[in-house]
Amino acid sequence: MSGILDLLNSDLGKTIISGVSGSTGTDQNKTSSVLTMALPVLMKAMERNASTPQGAEGLMGALSNKHDGSILDNLGGLFGGGVDDEVKQDGSKILGHVLGNKQQGVEKILGEKSGLDAGSVGNILKVAAPILMGVLGKQARQNNVSSSNDIGGLLGGLLGGNDAKEEQSFLEKILDADGDGSVIDDVAGMVLGNASKKGGLGGLLGGLFGGK
């Protein structure tokens, strides 16, 4: 199974990036940076939530019903006339549910690293969250994930499995940040330190955070 960042590099990913960029009035490169950082963070948060039976059941229910992947079948329509308020409200609910009280801290860190204000990051995430849920719904269908027990495996697979310990702890750090600034430097230093190891999420994020 290819990872979530492979998706962003695909034709579908490019459509998503340009569509989100157009619908939020945000520079395409910055939108791409935000999504590249934010999608793994959101998935890590979902993986955390799905580690409880109740959380896994809730996520499985959402993927079986509203977020079954059908949103991906008509992205042209979704972005065509500007993204519907209903989609953004749905995105807002998803973010609140997935990130909880970490939402502001996460948006602030992503903003500082991508050169956008937290409000713009929030707008990007509101549009991206329902699409991400659609991607997960589609993957769940394709991989016959029908029980809440399997959902953690699906998320772990898209995040690159358990072999990427440093990347996983990096995502954990962002999720635990309170947005006070100090952790941002720690996280950036950690990623830049790993950027020389090409490939994987670390190398990719290292590039985004200014390392090559």
Side-chain angles (χ1 to χ4, degrees):
M1 187 190 330
S2 57
I4 192 68
L5 294 175
D6 297 323
L7 167 88
L8 279 178
N9 292 323
S10 68
D11 290 341
L12 172 63
K14 291 180 180 111
T15 304
I16 292 171
I17 290 166
S18 67
V20 172
S21 165
S23 65
T24 55
T26 316
D27 174 79
Q28 199 157 316
N29 288 335
K30 289 184 176 175
T31 303
S32 175
S33 294
V34 169
L35 290 176
T36 306
M37 290 185 274
L39 294 188
V41 172
L42 289 174
M43 290 188 62
K44 186 71 196 171
M46 285 182 202
E47 191 183 42
R48 271 189 183 186
N49 294 352
S51 62
T52 67
Q54 197 182 359
E57 228 163 89
L59 183 55
M60 195 64 233
L63 296 181
S64 308
N65 298 307
K66 187 172 188 181
H67 300 288
D68 60 358
S70 52
I71 191 170
L72 303 176
D73 299 335
N74 187 18
L75 286 177
L78 175 72
F79 295 129
V83 175
D84 197 307
D85 276 347
E86 199 182 319
V87 174
K88 291 181 191 168
Q89 282 163 6
D90 187 33
S92 198
K93 282 184 200 153
I94 294 166
L95 293 173
H97 184 71
V98 170
L99 295 175
N101 62 357
K102 307 285 183 193
Q103 188 174 342
Q104 275 186 307
V106 167
E107 287 176 0
K108 185 167 183 283
I109 288 175
L110 295 177
E112 292 194 8
K113 288 297 154 198
S114 58
L116 293 171
D117 60 88
S120 299
V121 172
N123 287 336
I124 290 172
L125 296 189
K126 272 181 213 165
V127 178
I131 298 171
L132 175 61
M133 290 292 283
V135 168
L136 292 177
K138 195 169 187 180
Q139 289 282 353
R141 276 217 316 268
Q142 286 173 349
N143 292 283
N144 297 320
V145 173
S146 54
S147 79
S148 48
N149 294 338
D150 300 332
I151 198 76
L154 176 73
L155 289 165
L158 282 164
L159 276 165
N162 299 320
D163 51 341
K165 290 279 188 293
E166 287 172 344
E167 291 160 16
Q168 299 285 347
S169 70
F170 162 71
L171 297 174
E172 295 280 356
K173 272 191 179 175
I174 288 193
L175 283 170
D176 287 330
D178 51 12
D180 68 352
S182 61
V183 73
I184 301 173
D185 302 323
D186 300 343
V187 169
M190 185 181 134
V191 173
L192 290 172
N194 295 338
S196 53
K197 298 176 195 164
K198 287 287 179 226
L201 186 56
L204 200 98
L205 287 169
L208 274 176
F209 281 97
K212 283 285 176 277

